[in-house]
């Protein structure tokens, strides 16, 4: 009796590679689905910490971007905030 497990000389045929490919697609699809839904927004060791939306540095950046303050005032205020929050470098770059 010929079955799918038999090929011309009795060994498995090239179709046997089909199952590992299917499993790889299932696992890859599951990881992609988790990354786009459940894990979205969670920080891991590979992502740097971000500044909160309501922090003084963010508010200062929004005020500068909207034109409420000029560049000199922005850098002056940012240097004070850098001392308070412990950030280093110009513009918060470490």
């Amino acid at each position: 009796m010929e079955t799918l497990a038999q090929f011309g000389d009795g060994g498995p045929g090239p179709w046997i590679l089909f199952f590992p490919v299917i499993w790889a697609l299932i696992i890859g699809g599951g990881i992609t689905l988790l990354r786009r839904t459940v894990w979205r927004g969670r920080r891991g060791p590979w992502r740097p910490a971000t500044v909160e939306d309501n922090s003084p540095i963010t508010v200062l950046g929004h005020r500068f971007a909207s034109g409420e303050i000029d560049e000199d005032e922005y850098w002056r205020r940012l240097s004070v905030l850098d001392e308070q929050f412990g950030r280093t470098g110009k513009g918060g770059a470490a």
Side-chain angles (χ1 to χ4, degrees), residues 56-69:
I57 294 174
T58 304
V59 172
L60 181 64
H62 288 297
R63 289 186 64 197
F64 176 64
S66 67
E68 291 180 37
I69 59 175

Side-chain angles (χ1 to χ4, degrees), residues 22-63:
I22 292 296
W23 278 112
L25 289 173
I26 289 172
I27 291 170
I31 290 172
T32 302
L33 182 67
L34 286 173
R35 288 188 67 183
R36 291 182 176 255
T37 58
V38 178
W39 296 338
R40 176 174 238 139
R42 292 187 183 174
R43 283 196 318 252
W46 59 90
R47 267 191 214 166
T50 58
V51 178
E52 298 87 25
D53 287 336
N54 58 355
S55 74
I57 294 174
T58 304
V59 172
L60 181 64
H62 288 297
R63 289 186 64 197

